[in-house]
Amino acid sequence: MDADEFVAGFDYPMFVVTTVDPGTGARAGCLVGFATQTSIEPFRFLVCISRRNRTYRVAREATVLAVHVLDEEQQDLAALFGERTGDEVDKFARCSWRPGPEGVPLLTAARRHLVGRVLEHTELGDHIGFLLDPVDVKAGAETAPLTFRSLPAMEPGHESG
């Protein structure tokens, strides 16, 4: 059996994860498709970031990550964080944001976000999982989230994996 055939047709929600290195103040963010709630009580959320991504290099030093839910009409914001690499461009100079807990960038266009304290890092193949304990949650906008199938055609800023 081919694993790619197993997941064919799945339509995962897509998120933008942002972070800041508390030592240097470096900001980073990327589009992610591997994320899920892992526990009900206590609530925990897992977000996975590719080792190749600049966001991973900043996140491994971070104490908090922000996970943003984009709406279907926010494809431009998804493209900014999915196609551009922070190695070459300051993504935050190209969008509206404000500092959140511990200085983590919060995208002002995102109607929902979860800021979580990083409890642990877990190696998960070519991605690293960050287990988060929520410290700040903005909810209430019950619009359809941007999903993998609703993304525009993109060339990733870094190869996946």
Side-chain angles (χ1 to χ4, degrees):
M1 180 182 154
D2 182 44
D4 288 335
E5 290 176 15
F6 175 78
V7 298
F10 288 8
D11 196 16
Y12 299 104
M14 301 298 293
F15 303 92
V16 171
V17 173
T18 59
T19 191
V20 63
D21 180 329
T24 66
R27 295 182 303 270
C30 65
L31 186 68
V32 300
F34 302 143
T36 189
Q37 179 179 346
T38 62
S39 175
I40 296 170
E41 187 59 45
F43 185 96
R44 296 288 185 260
F45 199 81
L46 179 74
V47 63
C48 303
I49 302 173
S50 171
R51 296 171 191 264
R52 294 182 180 181
N53 200 308
R54 178 178 183 274
T55 303
Y56 162 69
R57 295 190 305 272
V58 175
R60 68 183 175 200
E61 304 301 325
T63 55
V64 297
L65 301 180
V67 182
H68 302 82
V69 178
L70 300 183
D71 298 339
E72 287 181 335
E73 70 271 4
Q74 293 177 305
Q75 293 185 5
D76 289 345
L77 196 54
L80 172 64
F81 283 91
E83 289 187 311
R84 307 305 302 250
T85 173
D87 293 323
E88 299 170 0
V89 66
D90 179 358
K91 298 176 196 182
F92 299 97
R94 298 172 182 224
C95 68
S96 178
W97 66 278
R98 65 177 176 81
E102 300 188 33
V104 68
L106 297 178
L107 305 178
T108 56
R111 296 182 184 132
R112 291 188 274 176
H113 71 250
L114 176 147
V115 177
R117 183 160 317 288
V118 177
L119 297 178
E120 61 184 84
H121 308 130
T122 304
E123 293 190 26
L124 302 168
D126 56 11
H127 282 61
I128 301 297
F130 291 80
L131 186 63
L132 304 178
D133 176 21
V135 296
D136 179 60
V137 177
K138 177 183 172 188
E142 294 190 24
T143 57
L146 182 68
T147 63
F148 180 75
R149 286 187 176 186
S150 61
L151 283 175
M154 289 190 207
E155 290 293 323
H158 283 284
E159 290 182 25
S160 61

